[in-house]
Amino acid sequence: MCIYGYCRISTKQQSIDRQIRNIKTEYDKAVIVTEVYTGTKQDRPEWNKLYKKVKTGDIIVFDSVSRMSRNADEGFNLYEGLYNKGIELVFLKEPHINTSTYKKALQNNVAMTGTNVDYILEGINKYLMALAKEQIKLAFEQSEKEVQDLHQRTREGIETARLNGKQIGQKQGAKLNVKKKAPAMEQIKKYSKDFGGALSDVDCMKLTGLARNTYYKYKRELKEELQG
């Protein structure tokens, strides 16, 4: 049996450390899988590899349901697919939809009596199973709604700023603020696989928001600094 902790961030403002810390607190031997995710299945190579690798009896731990998926339909399909493979899913912030809870609900059927009352009991059992599934779907739907609301607030904020005459984004031809160099280099040093981290160059570029040439320039400077 293997225990995996899946941690995902979608913007450089988010902290992956918090997710790792929460999972390690509960499952100190969990193998942490990290990913920077921008919104499509193709951008989740680490998740796709993990999905194919896990086997019956393994456990995948998430800080929250939104780390597994923010799309309700996709999330529920993933959940059922892994459940049917015998994978245990743990959601630290939504323990009521852990697969162990779901399994207990499905197995907690009312015993048949061998009489006509069984027609009623069968209906009750089906209702309990449907209720358990509905709770899982509801959790993913709530996660999807939260991200949609966030995007809507962001769009409204940008439009308000634009109408008030504020500059949105970097002006054409403007140079990157050198003040961002130090924190960007710190992130590279912390997360890049070349310095003992868990992220690839592509994921580090997404995390830091740096252009390719700038990213490799900073990484080269870091190596020279460490070697010197």
Side-chain angles (χ1 to χ4, degrees), residues 189-205:
K189 185 177 179 181
K190 187 173 184 179
Y191 295 115
S192 171
K193 287 183 178 179
D194 289 335
F195 302 102
L199 298 183
S200 66
D201 285 334
V202 173
D203 286 343
C204 264
M205 275 185 266

Side-chain angles (χ1 to χ4, degrees), residues 109-167:
N109 291 342
V110 181
M112 297 292 106
T113 65
T115 68
N116 287 337
V117 176
D118 287 351
Y119 291 110
I120 299 174
L121 298 180
E122 185 179 356
I124 293 174
N125 286 333
K126 288 181 178 179
Y127 170 74
L128 291 174
M129 288 190 285
L131 187 62
K133 286 187 176 183
E134 191 61 32
Q135 289 296 314
I136 297 166
K137 286 184 178 179
L138 188 62
F140 282 108
E141 287 172 358
Q142 180 62 32
S143 176
E144 183 177 10
K145 183 178 185 302
E146 286 175 1
V147 74
Q148 288 174 347
D149 289 346
L150 176 61
H151 289 166
Q152 179 62 28
R153 290 195 298 270
T154 301
R155 286 193 295 269
E156 290 173 353
I158 291 173
E159 180 61 15
T160 299
R162 188 186 66 79
L163 292 173
N164 288 334
K166 293 184 178 180
Q167 172 67 33

Side-chain angles (χ1 to χ4, degrees), residues 165-194:
K166 293 184 178 180
Q167 172 67 33
I168 306 300
Q170 186 171 316
K171 291 182 179 179
Q172 187 174 3
K175 294 184 178 180
L176 180 67
N177 188 342
V178 293
K179 291 182 179 180
K180 296 180 180 179
K181 180 176 180 178
M185 290 181 73
E186 188 62 31
Q187 284 185 312
I188 295 171
K189 185 177 179 181
K190 187 173 184 179
Y191 295 115
S192 171
K193 287 183 178 179
D194 289 335

Side-chain angles (χ1 to χ4, degrees), residues 12-142:
K12 61 182 179 180
Q13 286 78 23
Q14 292 178 311
S15 171
I16 205 166
D17 292 338
R18 176 184 56 79
Q19 296 177 47
I20 295 173
R21 183 174 63 252
N22 290 346
I23 292 174
K24 281 291 189 178
T25 298
E26 299 295 329
Y27 297 85
D28 62 322
K29 295 183 179 179
V31 177
I32 301 298
V33 177
T34 59
E35 187 144 60
V36 177
Y37 170 52
T38 59
T40 65
K41 282 186 178 180
Q42 287 72 24
D43 290 329
R44 300 180 68 183
E46 298 305 320
W47 168 257
N48 293 336
K49 285 190 284 188
L50 177 60
Y51 187 88
K52 293 175 182 177
K53 179 167 65 174
V54 289
K55 56 187 182 297
T56 301
D58 287 348
I59 300 172
I60 305 178
V61 186
F62 304 87
D63 184 48
S64 71
V65 68
S66 65
R67 299 305 91 194
M68 182 176 181
S69 177
R70 283 181 166 178
N71 177 279
D73 291 334
E74 178 199 47
F76 183 70
N77 289 336
L78 286 173
Y79 185 106
E80 276 207 318
L82 288 166
Y83 176 83
N84 291 332
K85 286 175 65 175
I87 311 302
E88 183 176 347
L89 303 177
V90 176
F91 303 92
L92 298 181
K93 288 186 171 58
E94 300 91 1
H96 63 286
I97 65 164
N98 289 351
T99 49
S100 59
T101 305
Y102 181 48
K103 186 175 182 179
K104 183 178 179 181
L106 296 184
Q107 292 178 341
N108 194 27
N109 291 342
V110 181
M112 297 292 106
T113 65
T115 68
N116 287 337
V117 176
D118 287 351
Y119 291 110
I120 299 174
L121 298 180
E122 185 179 356
I124 293 174
N125 286 333
K126 288 181 178 179
Y127 170 74
L128 291 174
M129 288 190 285
L131 187 62
K133 286 187 176 183
E134 191 61 32
Q135 289 296 314
I136 297 166
K137 286 184 178 179
L138 188 62
F140 282 108
E141 287 172 358
Q142 180 62 32

Side-chain angles (χ1 to χ4, degrees), residues 2 6 53 55 81 167 177 204 207 210-211 225 227:
C2 293
Y6 180 74
K53 179 167 65 174
K55 56 187 182 297
Q167 172 67 33
N177 188 342
C204 264
L207 175 65
L210 296 173
E225 178 183 319
Q227 290 171 357

